[in-house]
Amino acid sequence: MQPTLPHAPRHDTRSTAALLDELRAIVGRRHVLAGDRATLRHRTGYRFGGGPVLAVVRPGTLVEQWRVLQACVAAGVIVIPQAANTGLTGGSTPHGAYDRPVVVINTLRIKGLHLVRDGTQVVALPGTTLYALEARLKPLGREPHSVIGSSCIGASVMGGVCNNSGGALVRRGPAYTELALYARVDAQGVLSLVNHLGIALGDDPVAMLDRLERGAFDAADVAALPDRVASDPHYGAHVRAIDAETPARFNADPARLFEASGSAGKLMVFAVRLDTFPKEAATRVFYIGTNDPTELAELRRTILGSFTQLPIAAEYMHRDAFDIAARYGKDTYLAIRRLGTDRLPLLYAAKAKVDSLAARLPFLGEHLADRLLQWGADRLPDPLPARLRDYRDRFAHYLMLRVSEEGADEARAALAARFPSAHGDWFECTSEEGDAAFLHRFAAAGAAVRYRQIHRDTVGDIVALDIALPRNATDWFERLPDPLSAPILHALYYGHFLCHVFHQDYIVRKGTDPVALEHAMWALLDARGAEYPAEHNVGHLYPAKPALRAHYAALDPCNIFNPGIGETSRDAAPPRPGLTPPA
């Protein structure tokens, strides 16, 4: 039996001013943002999307989050849950016109996590970032499902689960759990708090949330729940099926849609329970360069088909992405290398303040922080190791292979049997070279955005695709026909090679219709048997496929949360009294 609230009318007669007053009473005036300038950061997507909002509310506790949600549901407004807002498809911001006012509930202030079952699992609250979780697990010799750099820098743990984030780690697959605490509005219009966390917290919503946040439970309250999992236990075998005609992982895979997992803002999630993993004591990194993508395709089949141990990570980068990242991702690379990941949240907060100041002083121009950072980066020496630079000059395609110490001999033997060849070669990285190679690859994810901000005079926008190719595909490298490539200034290819998941960022000329270009590319991807998006929320860029649409409708039958996601309906669906809510 879940604690519930009586149904409140979908369209209350209270004014929006009254709702704002109620929200201020719950969280404090400074944490209810209203007006275009104050809400800009939260109503604009990191790479895409944006629209008007009535308010952005920033609760500081789980109880405040619940009471804010109660007020919004009672007032009949749209609710868009938001954490770090680092998504690439606009899935945690408004987009376009709606039939009701929109309130964004940003949960980043609600930080905290609890280790359970001797640290083999963790309960993460909405504002917990990958930084915080990785730091907390490090003394235990463990790590989270995703590690820094495998997603957008600064991303939240919960956002990864809700948005099917994939990550770079070959053995683990997408972020996934069947253990969560969340609120939903059922088909009868009733708001309820659903505890599928597997932790006994009681029945009263306020008391439950307060206990959870304080960690006021003991080991006896934490159930094992053998019928539910806190990660995908089968992905390692799944990715090895190299003759399968379907991709290893993609956003709309019905096998990985479960309540909070893949919910994309169609629930209000308060906590997720996830597995943690032993950290490899020692690893080796091998760097492969080639001018023939077929060589990498053959190597991939050998690794997945015959290696005793799966590699830890296998990251691909094309020369054009290497070059853009080397210049426009240099400050990110240097910040992590010299300051560490724990300082980055402060740096991003400072960047946001600079941009906020610039917005109030138009003579400073747009994207002031990016322009200042790029000016400084351009005056710093190249930090990349000499051997990486040498391979950039010799080859067009690069594969970074990280393996455990136990798997190093197997990898060396496989590489030595194939290279050097007429088209490629390899080397074993020093510790510094290996770290530099992977960090440079991850700096590529934000480099296209920086390029756009700096070159607004020539760049129209970015078309960003993340695609999953079938596991049996061998012709994996894209070759665009001339009509599609003509408006593209730079095509940046990088991705998670063994999973066959690729990020394809196209920086297009000013005057180009990015939506039309993207839709034309979809036809090519369909012909290749690709699924897209592979590991990001469909957001407002992609139509949700039938299984995903059904998932959204089951979670949010009244269409209160994040309507319009995946090109679904934006309109309110009236409650249907008499229907039995799903279990």
Side-chain angles (χ1 to χ4, degrees):
M1 189 73 169
Q2 302 299 337
T4 62
L5 287 176
H7 166 60
R10 291 278 300 139
H11 292 284
D12 203 336
T13 57
R14 296 180 303 173
S15 68
T16 55
L19 174 59
L20 291 176
D21 287 342
E22 184 175 358
L23 296 174
R24 291 180 185 119
I26 295 169
V27 303
R29 181 169 294 273
R30 66 184 295 238
H31 295 300
V32 178
L33 310 180
D36 288 349
R37 182 177 296 171
T39 60
L40 178 64
R41 178 184 175 191
H42 298 285
R43 61 181 175 81
T44 305
Y46 171 71
R47 184 178 286 183
F48 172 84
V53 298
L54 172 65
V56 174
V57 188
R58 302 183 300 183
T61 67
L62 292 180
V63 171
E64 287 184 358
Q65 183 182 350
W66 170 250
R67 287 176 171 155
V68 165
L69 179 60
Q70 286 179 288
C72 289
V73 172
V77 300
I78 286 168
V79 172
I80 299 181
Q82 182 187 85
N85 191 20
T86 57
L88 305 183
T89 60
S92 57
T93 58
H95 185 72
Y98 297 88
D99 63 339
R100 296 150 286 164
V102 175
V103 172
V104 171
I105 301 180
N106 181 278
T107 59
L108 268 191
R109 291 181 62 220
I110 312 173
K111 304 182 186 301
L113 57 92
H114 306 296
L115 300 179
V116 297
R117 301 182 67 80
D118 298 320
T120 61
Q121 291 185 328
V122 62
V123 175
L125 303 188
T128 303
T129 63
L130 284 174
Y131 300 116
L133 180 53
E134 195 168 3
R136 182 73 177 276
L137 292 174
K138 187 175 181 179
L140 303 180
R142 302 188 71 83
E143 62 185 12
H145 165 275
S146 298
V147 295
I148 299 304
S150 63
S151 184
C152 284
I153 293 172
S156 70
V157 174
M158 189 171 291
V161 172
C162 295
N163 295 312
N164 297 107
S165 294
L169 302 179
V170 177
R171 306 168 185 175
R172 298 179 192 170
Y176 180 78
T177 186
E178 296 173 359
L179 306 173
L181 176 66
Y182 60 87
R184 71 185 298 264
V185 176
D186 65 23
Q188 295 175 310
V190 176
L191 173 66
S192 62
L193 187 66
V194 180
N195 183 8
H196 288 169
L197 202 57
I199 300 176
L201 297 168
D203 296 319
D204 176 69
V206 170
M208 291 168 64
L209 295 170
D210 178 64
R211 279 189 66 190
L212 178 62
E213 187 161 3
R214 290 187 293 109
F217 54 87
D218 55 34
D221 296 318
V222 181
L225 296 180
D227 295 331
R228 292 190 176 224
V229 298
S231 64
D232 183 349
H234 307 298
Y235 186 74
H238 185 72
V239 75
R240 282 187 181 272
I242 54 177
D243 293 319
E245 296 180 350
T246 56
R249 54 181 170 92
F250 56 98
N251 185 270
D253 185 351
R256 295 179 179 87
L257 301 175
F258 189 92
E259 296 179 353
S261 295
S263 58
K266 300 300 284 184
L267 298 170
M268 179 61 75
V269 186
F270 292 83
V272 291
R273 178 173 159 188
L274 296 162
D275 289 331
T276 68
F277 301 86
K279 184 176 177 64
E280 294 284 351
T283 65
R284 300 282 182 172
V285 173
F286 302 97
Y287 200 87
I288 302 103
T290 183
N291 290 312
D292 181 3
T294 302
E295 290 190 324
L296 296 186
E298 293 171 351
L299 178 61
R300 173 183 172 272
R301 289 184 64 85
T302 295
I303 292 171
L304 292 176
S306 64
F307 270 29
T308 303
Q309 293 195 24
L310 276 175
I312 297 165
E315 292 298 293
Y316 166 78
M317 180 183 277
H318 183 263
R319 177 186 281 154
D320 293 342
F322 184 109
D323 290 345
I324 294 293
R327 181 177 180 189
Y328 297 95
K330 186 197 288 188
D331 55 310
T332 297
Y333 175 101
L334 289 171
I336 295 176
R337 286 301 295 268
R338 296 182 181 179
L339 301 177
T341 56
D342 57 330
R343 300 286 184 88
L344 285 185
L346 294 176
L347 295 178
Y348 278 100
K351 180 179 181 293
K353 288 182 179 178
V354 171
D355 284 335
S356 178
L357 172 64
R360 295 195 298 270
L361 302 172
F363 67 87
L364 293 175
E366 290 186 314
H367 311 297
L368 176 62
D370 281 299
R371 289 187 284 112
L372 290 173
L373 287 168
Q374 192 59 47
W375 183 89
D378 285 343
R379 281 150 183 81
L380 295 172
D382 180 9
L384 294 176
R387 285 204 287 185
L388 269 62
R389 276 290 178 188
D390 174 61
Y391 267 47
R392 181 264 167 220
D393 294 337
R394 294 170 56 194
F395 306 115
H397 306 274
Y398 324 107
L399 179 64
M400 292 142 267
L401 194 66
R402 186 182 293 277
V403 302
S404 64
E405 189 69 44
E406 293 77 10
D409 287 342
E410 187 174 39
R412 285 190 197 97
L415 293 172
R418 294 177 177 274
F419 302 105
S421 69
H423 304 287
D425 208 344
W426 70 285
F427 65 88
E428 184 168 346
C429 295
T430 65
S431 177
E432 181 179 352
E433 287 172 330
D435 290 344
F438 273 87
L439 182 52
H440 179 57
R441 151 64 187 91
F442 294 129
V449 175
R450 171 65 61 76
Y451 186 98
R452 179 183 63 183
Q453 314 301 47
I454 300 300
H455 298 283
R456 281 292 186 179
D457 55 334
T458 58
V459 175
D461 210 336
I462 300 168
V463 173
L465 297 174
D466 62 294
I467 70 164
L469 295 179
R471 284 166 283 175
N472 67 347
T474 55
D475 187 14
W476 60 272
F477 185 68
E478 180 177 75
R479 298 168 183 84
L480 289 173
D482 289 342
L484 291 184
S485 62
I488 297 173
L489 296 169
H490 300 281
L492 311 181
Y493 298 103
Y494 53 96
H496 316 305
F497 192 69
L498 296 187
C499 300
H500 252 193
V501 168
F502 297 95
H503 300 279
Q504 302 181 171
D505 295 345
Y506 309 95
I507 302 173
V508 300
R509 298 181 192 277
K510 206 161 193 171
T512 303
D513 181 346
V515 175
L517 180 62
E518 181 171 355
H519 288 182
M521 290 177 172
W522 289 354
L524 296 180
L525 295 174
D526 291 340
R528 298 172 69 192
E531 290 281 357
Y532 50 91
E535 61 181 14
H536 293 290
N537 180 327
V538 289
H540 295 286
L541 274 177
Y542 303 91
K545 293 190 175 181
L548 195 56
R549 294 175 74 94
H551 183 56
Y552 293 162
L555 297 179
D556 182 27
C558 292
N559 211 22
I560 290 172
F561 295 100
N562 210 7
I565 194 82
E567 299 184 6
T568 57
S569 171
R570 296 172 178 272
D571 297 335
R576 290 167 284 171
L579 291 182
T580 302

